[in-house]
Amino acid sequence: MGGKVVTISSGKGGVGKTTATANLGISLAGLGKRVVVIDADIGLRNLDVIMGLENRIVYDLVDIVEGRSKLRQAMIKHKKFNDLFLIPAAQTRDKMAVSPDDMVTLTDELRADFDYILIDSPAGIERGFRNALEPADEVLIVTNPEVSAVRDADRIIGLIEAADKGPGKLIINRLKTELVKKGEMLSSDDVFDILGVTIIGIIPEDELVLSASNSGVPVTLNLQSKAGMAFNNVARRVIGEDVPFMNLDKSPGIFQRLVQLLDGR
Amino acid sequence: MTNLWSRLFGRAKKGSGATAKDRLRFVLQHDRINLPPERMEEMKREILAVIVKYLVVDEDRVEIDLEQRDRTHSKLVAEIPVVNTTNAGARAVNSPAVKADGGYANGASNGAAAQKEEKSTSVDAEVAEPIAGAGDENTVAPFDDEEKDAKA
Ligand SMILES: Nc1ncnc2c1ncn2[C@@H]1O[C@H](COP(=O)(O)OP(=O)(O)OP(=O)(O)O)[C@@H](O)[C@H]1O
Ligand SMILES: [Mg+2]
């Protein structure tokens, strides 16, 4: 058995799955875990650029599945963490090139050597989602506090339950505290009331996420970033730590930053 | 109906966040049972059409609503006031109602009987989803209050 497969999914596109996967990968590696992140969004490869690894790609997920590459050959080591690897998606292929069974075979091989295998699911509920769901031990559902994203999250949760993969846990991304205070945005409590699924992370809207994706250095490596800190907290909850939700009203205090530094970030 | 009311008139007072929550509740209610709003209305009309073949019903006060506790627990609650035609003069006093309340369908019918009222016909209607551990929750509808007032 060994490692745990965690799939990051959402239903609706563009809510922050890839951002979450990259940051969780970095944070888990920062916490001393051996991690592989898999980009399962075949045809729309993105995780490589978000992690700043785009220029090292030789082989991809489809190459592994179709036997052109050994698993290890296709895994790209992160520049900063020796125990963090990326398996990129194929850019010019179609999602049908990989089957759910292929994903199970692949992840079973990885479980022996890694603590966490994170899978960045494509949007939608079709084959790509099925590929990402099949090997999952746990599913994290990313949503934004808005009607369409929450509705799609509900649909995904239903499908995850139907596949016997548990209800999943929720990451509420891009929360704008000022708007919630004015009553102009769904709060995390509202989203919880509606979906009834455990919340494992609340990530504020943060401009630094854009700078991070511009530079290919995930935001969790930026100690100034509240979103980065929130992602780091999610990682700690994933490994079973009991981390209180941070107060999103204040910028990270000196104490919190100190804790982060001591954590090796 | 009350839902529609609050959706129409709540908007002025509440922020758009609350509106978003109401709209989500509404839309998910239908998503989860896979029955869009218009089809639901159609079903209500059909249910009523069957009942009026047998009973005289006070159609203005018919209420058939879907109640949802969470993703997997839904129930259809109907309150259908019946006009007591054998005794037309006493209509306002004894107004039996057909009540259909499936409880949360869980196989064991441990709920419906307990809430039977005098002059009410309680109809057990199991709702689609198989649900465990519920069924204790019953709606008692205050259907005769207005009529008593009206008579006095
Ligand atoms: N907390 C945040 N604050 C600000 N911007 C964010 C935040 N999270 C994500 N974004 C931005 O939202 C956009 C979409 O993010 P991302 O690509 O991670 O979504 P996705 O769910 O993977 O999309 P897709 O469905 O296309 O795969 C990106 O431009 C990203 O920078
Ligand atoms: Mg993505």
Side-chain angles (χ1 to χ4, degrees):
Chain A
M1 189 65 203
K4 188 170 183 184
V5 178
V6 180
T7 290
I8 293 90
S9 210
S10 73
K12 188 175 191 292
V15 296
K17 294 176 294 295
T18 302
T19 306
T21 308
N23 282 292
L24 290 182
I26 298 272
S27 291
L28 286 169
L31 291 165
K33 302 296 175 188
R34 295 166 301 170
V35 184
V36 187
V37 295
I38 303 177
D39 188 347
D41 200 348
I42 298 165
L44 294 169
R45 175 198 286 169
N46 262 332
L47 193 52
D48 56 337
V49 285
I50 298 296
M51 298 187 75
L53 298 173
E54 67 275 11
N55 52 14
R56 305 192 180 188
I57 296 177
V58 184
Y59 296 108
D60 59 45
L61 180 58
V62 176
D63 291 324
I64 299 170
V65 166
E66 294 181 349
R68 276 184 300 278
S69 155
K70 293 235 169 60
L71 180 52
R72 283 285 173 175
Q73 284 181 298
M75 290 167 55
I76 302 156
K77 194 174 81 60
H78 193 266
K79 297 168 219 168
K80 190 160 181 237
F81 299 97
N82 288 327
D83 278 331
L84 174 60
F85 294 84
L86 164 74
I87 298 179
Q91 181 66 323
T92 55
R93 293 293 296 273
D94 164 77
K95 292 184 168 78
M96 301 310 275
V98 174
S99 74
D101 281 350
D102 292 333
M103 293 298 286
V104 172
T105 310
L106 175 75
T107 49
D108 279 350
E109 204 176 328
L110 291 168
R111 280 179 206 271
D113 295 326
F114 292 90
D115 301 310
Y116 288 94
I117 299 129
L118 306 183
I119 304 179
D120 180 15
S121 164
I125 55 174
E126 313 301 334
R127 177 63 163 266
F129 164 68
R130 295 284 165 195
N131 286 343
L133 182 63
E134 188 71 17
D137 297 311
E138 181 164 8
V139 185
L140 306 185
I141 304 126
V142 183
T143 192
N144 298 154
E146 51 173 278
V147 176
S148 54
V150 175
R151 181 191 203 176
D152 291 356
D154 188 77
R155 178 94 170 93
I156 286 289
I157 293 163
L159 293 172
I160 294 166
E161 281 176 345
D164 246 345
K165 298 285 184 183
K169 289 178 182 154
L170 209 60
I171 297 177
I172 301 174
N173 188 27
R174 309 196 74 160
L175 190 90
K176 299 180 187 168
T177 327
E178 332 79 65
L179 285 189
V180 172
K181 272 198 209 140
K182 281 192 249 165
E184 296 296 331
M185 183 178 254
L186 290 165
S187 68
S188 49
D189 286 347
D190 289 337
V191 177
F192 177 75
D193 282 351
I194 286 163
L195 295 178
V197 164
T198 312
I199 296 175
I200 195 170
I202 302 171
I203 320 292
E205 173 79 17
D206 188 341
E207 287 176 2
L208 295 173
V209 172
L210 178 62
S211 337
S213 86
N214 286 341
S215 50
V217 180
V219 76
T220 194
L221 291 169
N222 180 347
L223 296 186
Q224 304 301 314
S225 164
K226 283 207 264 182
M229 210 166 103
F231 276 124
N232 192 53
N233 287 347
V234 177
R236 291 170 58 192
R237 292 184 193 111
V238 165
I239 66 173
E241 282 183 37
D242 185 9
V243 187
F245 284 89
M246 60 195 247
N247 182 352
L248 294 175
D249 289 346
K250 290 183 242 137
S251 54
I254 182 75
F255 176 72
Q256 285 165 310
R257 275 193 221 151
L258 207 67
V259 170
Q260 283 187 315
L261 285 170
L262 293 174
D263 272 352
R265 297 184 49 211
Chain B
M1 199 58 205
T2 45
N3 188 15
L4 185 68
W5 186 266
S6 64
R7 284 170 67 219
L8 286 175
F9 294 93
R11 203 163 295 189
K13 278 169 262 156
K14 291 179 282 187
S16 68
T19 309
K21 194 174 182 181
D22 286 347
R23 294 181 64 218
L24 259 171
R25 282 230 158 92
F26 177 81
V27 91
L28 288 182
Q29 205 172 46
H30 291 281
D31 283 1
R32 286 167 178 174
I33 58 165
N34 195 21
L35 189 68
E38 269 311 313
R39 292 274 296 150
M40 177 112 166
E41 291 309 314
E42 209 174 303
M43 179 192 74
K44 290 180 187 175
R45 284 194 294 273
E46 277 184 42
I47 289 173
L48 206 57
V50 171
I51 291 173
V52 298
K53 280 206 290 191
Y54 299 92
L55 293 167
V56 181
V57 165
D58 184 351
E59 295 197 32
D60 290 342
R61 291 193 297 124
V62 167
E63 273 180 38
I64 304 176
D65 288 311
L66 185 72
E67 288 181 6
Q68 203 156 52
R69 202 175 64 205
D70 54 41
R71 183 172 311 95
T72 44
H73 300 75
S74 300
K75 67 176 177 180
L76 200 58
V77 179
E79 201 205 321
I80 302 169
V82 175
V83 177
N84 206 339
T85 49
T86 53
N87 188 2
R91 181 202 150 170
V93 185
N94 299 324
S95 177
V98 175
K99 273 198 187 178
D101 180 350
Y104 292 112
N106 62 349
S109 56
N110 57 346
Q115 56 126 24
K116 235 184 232 175
E117 288 171 45
E118 255 195 341
K119 305 289 181 194
S120 284
T121 313
S122 185
V123 177
D124 220 4
E126 300 247 323
V127 186
E129 290 142 304
I131 288 127
D136 43 354
E137 196 185 312
N138 284 296
T139 10
V140 177
F143 60 86
D144 51 2
D145 289 355
E146 307 165 41
E147 290 198 352
K148 275 176 191 154
D149 290 349
K151 196 205 167 199

PDB file of all heavy atoms in Angstrom, chain A residues 14 16-19 41 44 46 120-123, ligand 2:
ATOM      1  N   GLY A  14     -11.196  26.382 -13.902  1.00  0.00           N
ATOM      2  CA  GLY A  14     -10.620  27.666 -13.519  1.00  0.00           C
ATOM      3  C   GLY A  14     -10.797  28.085 -12.073  1.00  0.00           C
ATOM      4  O   GLY A  14     -10.629  29.252 -11.734  1.00  0.00           O
ATOM      5  N   GLY A  16      -9.066  26.808  -9.486  1.00  0.00           N
ATOM      6  CA  GLY A  16      -7.788  26.770  -8.761  1.00  0.00           C
ATOM      7  C   GLY A  16      -7.247  25.382  -8.451  1.00  0.00           C
ATOM      8  O   GLY A  16      -6.428  25.219  -7.542  1.00  0.00           O
ATOM      9  N   LYS A  17      -7.650  24.382  -9.226  1.00  0.00           N
ATOM     10  CA  LYS A  17      -7.162  23.016  -8.991  1.00  0.00           C
ATOM     11  C   LYS A  17      -5.651  22.923  -9.171  1.00  0.00           C
ATOM     12  O   LYS A  17      -4.946  22.361  -8.335  1.00  0.00           O
ATOM     13  CB  LYS A  17      -7.801  22.015  -9.978  1.00  0.00           C
ATOM     14  CG  LYS A  17      -9.283  21.823  -9.829  1.00  0.00           C
ATOM     15  CD  LYS A  17      -9.826  20.903 -10.889  1.00  0.00           C
ATOM     16  CE  LYS A  17      -9.731  21.489 -12.281  1.00  0.00           C
ATOM     17  NZ  LYS A  17     -10.553  22.683 -12.498  1.00  0.00           N
ATOM     18  N   THR A  18      -5.179  23.464 -10.291  1.00  0.00           N
ATOM     19  CA  THR A  18      -3.754  23.355 -10.591  1.00  0.00           C
ATOM     20  C   THR A  18      -2.937  24.155  -9.577  1.00  0.00           C
ATOM     21  O   THR A  18      -1.898  23.691  -9.085  1.00  0.00           O
ATOM     22  CB  THR A  18      -3.484  23.824 -12.027  1.00  0.00           C
ATOM     23  OG1 THR A  18      -4.280  23.023 -12.911  1.00  0.00           O
ATOM     24  CG2 THR A  18      -2.028  23.672 -12.403  1.00  0.00           C
ATOM     25  N   THR A  19      -3.433  25.337  -9.246  1.00  0.00           N
ATOM     26  CA  THR A  19      -2.776  26.154  -8.228  1.00  0.00           C
ATOM     27  C   THR A  19      -2.704  25.385  -6.908  1.00  0.00           C
ATOM     28  O   THR A  19      -1.656  25.340  -6.252  1.00  0.00           O
ATOM     29  CB  THR A  19      -3.568  27.469  -8.025  1.00  0.00           C
ATOM     30  OG1 THR A  19      -3.715  28.115  -9.287  1.00  0.00           O
ATOM     31  CG2 THR A  19      -2.876  28.387  -7.049  1.00  0.00           C
ATOM     32  N   ASP A  41      -4.508  16.482 -16.694  1.00  0.00           N
ATOM     33  CA  ASP A  41      -5.266  17.295 -17.646  1.00  0.00           C
ATOM     34  C   ASP A  41      -4.626  17.168 -19.035  1.00  0.00           C
ATOM     35  O   ASP A  41      -3.976  18.090 -19.536  1.00  0.00           O
ATOM     36  CB  ASP A  41      -5.285  18.750 -17.172  1.00  0.00           C
ATOM     37  CG  ASP A  41      -6.421  19.542 -17.809  1.00  0.00           C
ATOM     38  OD1 ASP A  41      -7.040  19.039 -18.764  1.00  0.00           O
ATOM     39  OD2 ASP A  41      -6.672  20.668 -17.350  1.00  0.00           O
ATOM     40  N   LEU A  44      -4.197  19.809 -22.042  1.00  0.00           N
ATOM     41  CA  LEU A  44      -4.108  21.171 -21.492  1.00  0.00           C
ATOM     42  C   LEU A  44      -3.102  21.196 -20.348  1.00  0.00           C
ATOM     43  O   LEU A  44      -3.430  21.475 -19.206  1.00  0.00           O
ATOM     44  CB  LEU A  44      -5.482  21.645 -20.999  1.00  0.00           C
ATOM     45  CG  LEU A  44      -6.568  21.845 -22.059  1.00  0.00           C
ATOM     46  CD1 LEU A  44      -7.939  22.049 -21.401  1.00  0.00           C
ATOM     47  CD2 LEU A  44      -6.236  23.027 -22.966  1.00  0.00           C
ATOM     48  N   ASN A  46      -0.544  22.144 -17.721  1.00  0.00           N
ATOM     49  CA  ASN A  46      -0.395  23.401 -16.987  1.00  0.00           C
ATOM     50  C   ASN A  46       0.443  23.319 -15.723  1.00  0.00           C
ATOM     51  O   ASN A  46       1.102  24.281 -15.339  1.00  0.00           O
ATOM     52  CB  ASN A  46      -1.783  23.924 -16.558  1.00  0.00           C
ATOM     53  CG  ASN A  46      -2.294  24.972 -17.516  1.00  0.00           C
ATOM     54  OD1 ASN A  46      -1.495  25.661 -18.141  1.00  0.00           O
ATOM     55  ND2 ASN A  46      -3.593  25.082 -17.631  1.00  0.00           N
ATOM     56  N   ASP A 120      -3.748  16.224 -10.304  1.00  0.00           N
ATOM     57  CA  ASP A 120      -4.468  17.420 -10.724  1.00  0.00           C
ATOM     58  C   ASP A 120      -5.487  17.009 -11.788  1.00  0.00           C
ATOM     59  O   ASP A 120      -5.129  16.666 -12.910  1.00  0.00           O
ATOM     60  CB  ASP A 120      -3.467  18.442 -11.287  1.00  0.00           C
ATOM     61  CG  ASP A 120      -4.132  19.725 -11.756  1.00  0.00           C
ATOM     62  OD1 ASP A 120      -5.302  19.961 -11.396  1.00  0.00           O
ATOM     63  OD2 ASP A 120      -3.465  20.493 -12.500  1.00  0.00           O
ATOM     64  N   SER A 121      -6.765  17.032 -11.392  1.00  0.00           N
ATOM     65  CA  SER A 121      -7.823  16.575 -12.294  1.00  0.00           C
ATOM     66  C   SER A 121      -8.204  17.678 -13.280  1.00  0.00           C
ATOM     67  O   SER A 121      -8.153  18.850 -12.953  1.00  0.00           O
ATOM     68  CB  SER A 121      -9.036  16.184 -11.445  1.00  0.00           C
ATOM     69  OG  SER A 121     -10.188  16.075 -12.222  1.00  0.00           O
ATOM     70  N   PRO A 122      -8.585  17.292 -14.486  1.00  0.00           N
ATOM     71  CA  PRO A 122      -9.142  18.306 -15.375  1.00  0.00           C
ATOM     72  C   PRO A 122     -10.553  18.692 -14.923  1.00  0.00           C
ATOM     73  O   PRO A 122     -11.169  17.979 -14.131  1.00  0.00           O
ATOM     74  CB  PRO A 122      -9.184  17.602 -16.734  1.00  0.00           C
ATOM     75  CG  PRO A 122      -9.129  16.153 -16.451  1.00  0.00           C
ATOM     76  CD  PRO A 122      -8.506  15.967 -15.103  1.00  0.00           C
ATOM     77  N   ALA A 123     -11.041  19.816 -15.430  1.00  0.00           N
ATOM     78  CA  ALA A 123     -12.423  20.209 -15.155  1.00  0.00           C
ATOM     79  C   ALA A 123     -13.364  19.216 -15.836  1.00  0.00           C
ATOM     80  O   ALA A 123     -12.944  18.429 -16.688  1.00  0.00           O
ATOM     81  CB  ALA A 123     -12.666  21.622 -15.676  1.00  0.00           C
TER      82      ALA A 123
HETATM   83 MG    MG C   2      -5.887  23.144 -14.131  1.00  0.00          MG
END
